[in-house]
Amino acid sequence: MKIGNCDLNKQCMIIAEIGQAHDGSLGTAYAYVDAVAETGADAIKFQTHFAGEESTPQDKFRIKFSKQDATRYDYWKRMEFSRQEWIDLAAYARAKGLIFLSTAFSIKAVEVLSEAQCPAWKVGSGDLLTFPLLDRMIEKGGPILLSTGMASWKDIDEAFQYVSSRTNQLAMFQCTTEYPCLPEHWGLNNIARLRDRYNIPVGFSDHSGEIYSGLAAAVYGVSMLEVHVVFSKKCFGPDTKASLTIEELTTLADGVKKIRLAYEHPVEKDDLANRSKEIRQLFSRSVVAARDLPKGHILTMNDLAFKKPNLGTDSKFYKEFLDKKLTTDVEADEYLSEEQLREK
């Protein structure tokens, strides 16, 4: 499966989730594109909201964080960009070398993002079973990326059956709907379970606010890693505590790519040993004389020393020298060999 220029079978696509961190400012959204483009991330993701298409006035805040928005509906209304603004923002992200993604929270959002040439459809876990929304995404074409944060295995099975019967372009994210998410709730064990259960690419959507879970997920071989990003931990917004800074994203992206290289290049111990022969000789030890020893001396343990580099008889054969008589004089630190010995 490919999303933009990312082959999910060959790399881990790193997605910088801006979400609502722009706080309704188009200029700030562009600034995030500029910043993310310098981090090594592959994609930048937003959330496309149209309040009248997805919410009623009864829509409640998860946490009442905003003093300027009386209702969650008002907040979504303030977060809206126009159709043309989304199209232009997507084009700008691509010009900066980023894959543009945005979660569509309504059918209208699907239509707008389709015009913006969004190459894949991220589905929030709250919409895992919103079949009208899924149907429109599938009709538009492109991979469907299902988040499983609030879902049971029954829910996930149902969503998988529904989507996979209509398209083979399907991937999932392990995530936990907790902001910030504690280590004991990361659920890394579910990465392998999702991959084995459905035989599809699996990603990890992180809400920890730290780089450690993302690095750990990379070790599990995830195909996608999504992390929330803010300019500063002091920024205003509902997801700030669960977000990385731009600097942390840069460190994470570098680490994930190196871990992925290691993951794809297993090292055979024998090959490693063969490549290390010269170094091993420098760091291993030979049997040498502990002091000056005369011809005819019968060797005991006190006469032997074991020193680097290993240019003589390997120290593992030291017992072969015990109780043997020297056939020549030997100086201190001289390498001992079988030619210098005879039975006493």
Side-chain angles (χ1 to χ4, degrees):
M1 183 187 298
K2 292 190 71 174
I3 299 175
N5 59 357
C6 285
D7 187 336
L8 300 189
N9 294 317
K10 296 181 179 179
Q11 67 187 99
C12 175
M13 182 171 72
I14 301 170
I15 305 168
E17 164 70 286
I18 306 305
Q20 309 308 311
H22 55 75
D23 198 41
S25 165
L26 187 61
T28 300
Y30 274 83
Y32 271 112
V33 173
D34 289 337
V36 169
E38 301 296 324
T39 64
D42 301 294
I44 189 166
K45 192 178 85 65
F46 295 89
Q47 296 179 10
T48 302
H49 293 277
F50 295 104
E53 302 290 330
E54 66 178 88
S55 296
T56 66
Q58 287 75 41
D59 190 9
K60 295 182 179 180
F61 281 107
R62 173 168 51 86
I63 297 173
K64 183 64 169 71
F65 67 92
S66 174
K67 298 185 182 300
Q68 68 189 106
D69 304 300
T71 67
R72 196 163 184 242
Y73 182 95
D74 293 334
Y75 176 65
W76 294 138
K77 191 69 180 175
R78 191 165 60 80
M79 293 299 104
E80 292 182 9
F81 295 148
S82 71
R83 166 187 165 277
Q84 191 59 52
E85 286 170 340
W86 280 117
I87 292 172
D88 292 344
L89 182 62
Y92 186 74
R94 287 190 291 271
K96 286 289 184 175
L98 294 169
I99 298 167
F100 172 83
L101 297 171
S102 188
T103 303
F105 283 90
S106 64
I107 291 175
K108 178 179 178 180
V110 172
E111 300 298 336
V112 169
L113 292 174
S114 178
E115 291 188 67
Q117 300 177 40
C118 193
W121 302 103
K122 174 69 188 297
V123 180
S125 60
D127 284 320
L128 189 70
L129 299 176
T130 305
F131 291 161
L133 188 61
L134 295 176
D135 285 342
R136 196 70 188 110
M137 293 174 177
I138 293 168
E139 289 170 8
K140 291 293 183 181
I144 306 295
L145 313 177
L146 299 177
S147 188
T148 61
M150 296 184 286
S152 66
W153 285 111
K154 179 181 178 182
D155 296 332
I156 301 169
D157 284 342
E158 187 175 357
F160 174 78
Q161 291 298 329
Y162 190 85
V163 176
S164 64
S165 66
R166 290 160 174 79
T167 177
N168 61 0
Q169 295 289 292
L170 173 61
M172 290 185 184
F173 283 88
Q174 160 58 22
C175 74
T176 301
T177 307
E178 183 178 301
Y179 303 79
C181 185
L182 300 174
E184 54 267 40
H185 298 159
W186 290 349
L188 295 173
N189 58 296
N190 288 313
I191 293 169
R193 292 185 69 185
L194 287 166
R195 188 187 291 128
D196 294 343
R197 191 179 184 105
Y198 304 116
N199 193 30
I200 58 175
V202 172
F204 183 68
S205 183
D206 178 46
H207 302 137
S208 70
E210 299 176 320
I211 67 171
Y212 310 116
S213 57
L215 294 173
V219 175
Y220 278 75
V222 290
S223 298
M224 302 166 289
L225 176 60
E226 178 186 86
V227 292
H228 283 261
V229 179
V230 289
F231 283 130
S232 166
K233 299 284 189 178
K234 296 180 180 180
C235 282
F236 172 79
D239 300 324
T240 299
K241 291 182 180 180
S243 300
L244 304 184
T245 64
I246 294 296
E247 293 76 18
E248 288 172 328
L249 175 61
T250 302
T251 300
L252 177 67
D254 182 57
V256 167
K257 289 177 181 179
K258 289 175 180 175
I259 290 169
R260 185 70 183 194
L261 281 174
Y263 181 84
E264 293 175 346
H265 294 83
V267 175
E268 294 295 334
K269 293 298 291 181
D270 286 345
D271 292 340
L272 183 62
N274 287 334
R275 294 200 303 271
S276 304
K277 280 183 178 179
E278 292 185 7
I279 298 175
R280 181 178 180 180
Q281 192 176 61
L282 290 174
F283 285 90
S284 58
R285 302 170 189 254
S286 292
V287 182
V288 301
R291 59 184 180 276
D292 292 342
L293 299 170
K295 177 181 177 180
H297 181 76
I298 296 175
L299 296 172
T300 68
M301 193 66 185
N302 291 333
D303 301 320
L304 306 181
F306 312 101
K307 297 186 179 183
K308 296 176 282 189
N310 191 359
L311 299 176
T313 302
D314 194 289
S315 60
K316 69 181 179 181
F317 298 114
Y318 80 96
K319 291 182 180 179
E320 295 182 9
F321 293 87
L322 298 177
D323 297 326
K324 301 290 176 62
K325 184 182 291 187
L326 289 174
T327 60
T328 63
D329 292 335
V330 175
E331 295 180 354
D333 285 341
E334 183 177 338
Y335 291 106
L336 295 177
S337 65
E338 292 182 4
E339 288 75 19
Q340 297 166 311
L341 308 175
R342 68 166 178 258
E343 297 295 334
K344 66 179 181 179

